[in-house]
Amino acid sequence: RKEVEQDPGPFNVPEGATVAFNCTYSNSASQSFFWYRQDCRKEPKLLMSVYSSGNEDGRFTAQLNRASQYISLLIRDSKLSDSATYLCVVANAGGTSYGKLTFGQGTILTVHP
Amino acid sequence: EAQVTQNPRYLITVTGKKLTVTCSQNMNHEYMSWYRQDPGLGLRQIYYSMNVEVTDKGDVPEGYKVSRKEKRNFPLILESPSPNQTSLYFCASRLTGEEANQPQHFGDGTRLSIL
């Protein structure tokens, strides 16, 4: 089983739609969680961290369920510019295992007019 | 401008010809890392460095070497490249290795093709 699993998609949605991505992780000791965005052939960029209480940044909402080892990202009112690959990223605790980041394979989103 | 710089951006070469991909960061970050990205597999860590002269293997280190003689530089060395090392490579850095909640900055990527 992969350490971080995502539905690869692709998700094709019209502008203005709401879309949700899910991610599961296998290491119960994981401490930090993130969503990164990667445009085609470009470097990944941090979209947002995911906090236990859930957090929102404009049209983006991230949720964490530690009991189910599950992370989600909700995008409301999709824009054409949201088209990208969304990477779920999980970090181990510090100490001997240091803060290693493990990446999911990514979920492809295409927003069309 | 804070950045991670990789060179070259693109390289086509032949099996067995040693090559080095350079990586430099100007943010005084302690932690640096190399990843490769392949379709369907996501980003996988090759090597990482917690600080100067401290390096360790990631998940897929075979066929690669690294060094960290200075804080800002973390080159990736392929002593005898093979076709299965054809991939998209990213260098990344963040302030420290332990603090995983800090953002990780990536270079623009290096696309290597080994014929």
Side-chain angles (χ1 to χ4, degrees):
Chain A
R1 182 186 172 190
K2 290 181 183 175
E3 285 190 60
V4 180
E5 291 205 64
Q6 297 180 247
D7 180 348
F11 286 64
N12 294 299
V13 303
E15 273 185 291
T18 295
V19 61
F21 305 138
N22 302 320
C23 170
T24 57
Y25 61 95
S26 61
N27 184 352
S28 59
S30 299
Q31 292 291 315
S32 302
F33 309 90
F34 312 90
W35 285 101
Y36 276 69
R37 171 194 167 125
Q38 186 175 23
D39 294 301
C40 187
R41 298 177 187 274
K42 297 281 185 75
E43 76 277 18
K45 292 184 179 177
L46 179 65
L47 178 66
M48 59 197 300
S49 300
V50 186
Y51 302 118
S52 295
S53 55
N55 49 298
E56 193 173 301
D57 182 1
R59 298 181 292 108
F60 299 83
T61 300
Q63 297 277 355
L64 168 64
N65 184 322
R66 285 187 186 271
S68 302
Q69 296 180 202
Y70 169 96
I71 306 157
S72 66
L73 177 68
L74 183 78
I75 305 175
R76 292 182 299 278
D77 188 23
S78 300
K79 313 289 184 192
L80 295 176
S81 58
D82 293 334
S83 297
T85 297
Y86 290 83
L87 305 173
C88 175
V89 183
V90 173
N92 293 342
T96 56
S97 63
Y98 86 97
K100 177 188 173 185
L101 299 186
T102 301
F103 290 77
Q105 66 177 41
T107 298
I108 299 169
L109 171 66
T110 302
V111 181
H112 58 81
Chain B
E1 182 191 350
Q3 58 186 8
V4 178
T5 304
Q6 294 178 229
N7 278 297
R9 293 290 313 279
Y10 304 92
L11 179 63
I12 301 174
T13 188
V14 296
T15 300
K17 186 176 181 184
K18 180 180 177 180
L19 67 92
T20 300
V21 186
T22 62
C23 175
S24 180
Q25 50 91 7
N26 63 0
M27 295 168 279
N28 202 36
H29 285 173
E30 292 182 355
Y31 175 84
M32 297 185 75
S33 180
W34 275 102
Y35 298 88
R36 61 177 288 174
Q37 187 173 30
D38 302 289
L41 296 176
L43 276 92
R44 294 178 292 167
Q45 191 178 55
I46 302 170
Y47 268 94
Y48 65 94
S49 170
M50 297 288 273
N51 213 326
V52 177
E53 300 292 1
V54 181
T55 64
D56 211 343
K57 296 177 180 178
D59 297 318
V60 287
E62 295 79 19
Y64 304 95
K65 286 173 60 176
V66 293
S67 69
R68 188 90 183 273
K69 296 190 173 78
E70 306 161 284
K71 201 170 191 179
R72 63 182 293 127
N73 296 324
F74 190 45
L76 179 70
I77 303 154
L78 286 70
E79 292 270 4
S80 183
S82 62
N84 65 10
Q85 293 178 296
T86 293
S87 188
L88 177 59
Y89 291 84
F90 288 104
C91 180
S93 74
R94 69 171 185 249
L95 190 57
T96 68
E98 291 82 6
E99 300 295 326
N101 60 348
Q102 297 163 3
Q104 187 150 285
H105 301 262
F106 285 84
D108 289 340
T110 296
R111 188 166 291 279
L112 283 185
S113 293
I114 316 293
L115 305 178

